[in-house]
Amino acid sequence: KPSNEGISGTTGQHYLLWPEHGGTQNAGQGLSLGTNGISNYEHGHNYLPATALFKSSGKMKPWRVIAVKYDNKQPSIYINSLLIAEGLKSLRSGDVYTPIHIGGPGTDTWNINSNYSGHVAAILIYDTALSDTNVKIINDKLRERFTLPEGVN
């Protein structure tokens, strides 16, 4: 269940995009991918909750186009341009920042297994929330380029 409080992201995660520490007012956004789903995290002082979650009914295969969209500090998760999870609006008084580290923090101070170890074909980061139409256009181009199937499972 998504939350906007606590520190649930300190163990058991495999961060494709590491959530930088945002201090007491801001948060860094991060993305954890596993065989059982996708989790969006926000990181600040005593703050590392999963603000949006998707639990897969099966294994997270075959490859997919995954998108996280923030609109008014609220994350949404898309798979192959389909909205699959709407998260909780961030309670941080400041901003939620884009991740800058791919694959985890490098030197892990919490959990030796928090780095992502799967395969990734491309990562695109935009400085604005895309419309659902633009999410679909980009998704379709990436699925075509990498010969990926449609649908969620």
Side-chain angles (χ1 to χ4, degrees):
K1 179 178 173 182
S3 176
N4 49 21
E5 60 183 24
I7 57 168
S8 63
T10 59
T11 59
Q13 300 309 310
H14 301 283
Y15 286 103
L16 171 63
L17 300 173
W18 177 251
E20 294 297 319
H21 194 285
T24 58
Q25 296 178 357
N26 301 311
Q29 182 263 338
L31 186 66
S32 176
L33 301 179
T35 57
N36 63 341
I38 304 165
S39 305
N40 183 79
Y41 283 89
E42 293 181 6
H43 188 195
H45 182 68
N46 290 325
Y47 179 76
L48 190 58
T51 56
L53 298 168
F54 168 70
K55 298 232 182 209
S56 175
S57 58
K59 296 288 184 187
M60 288 291 294
K61 292 182 180 180
W63 283 26
R64 297 173 172 89
V65 176
I66 297 168
V68 176
K69 174 182 172 181
Y70 264 84
D71 194 12
N72 195 26
K73 296 187 355 179
Q74 180 178 7
S76 298
I77 299 173
Y78 294 77
I79 293 181
N80 292 344
S81 77
L82 301 171
L83 176 63
I84 57 156
E86 290 185 359
L88 301 175
K89 185 174 181 176
S90 180
L91 297 182
R92 303 304 273 188
S93 61
D95 295 318
V96 178
Y97 292 110
T98 302
I100 60 172
H101 287 98
I102 297 171
T107 305
D108 187 352
T109 58
W110 300 328
N111 180 345
I112 194 87
N113 297 318
S114 70
N115 293 330
Y116 181 73
S117 63
H119 298 278
V120 176
I123 294 176
L124 306 173
I125 297 176
Y126 296 89
D127 64 355
T128 188
L130 300 177
S131 69
D132 287 346
T133 300
N134 285 339
V135 169
K136 181 165 180 19
I137 289 169
I138 292 167
N139 171 84
D140 290 348
K141 293 292 184 189
L142 288 170
R143 280 191 319 94
E144 179 183 312
R145 178 176 179 192
F146 296 109
T147 318
L148 302 174
E150 291 186 49
V152 175
N153 286 316

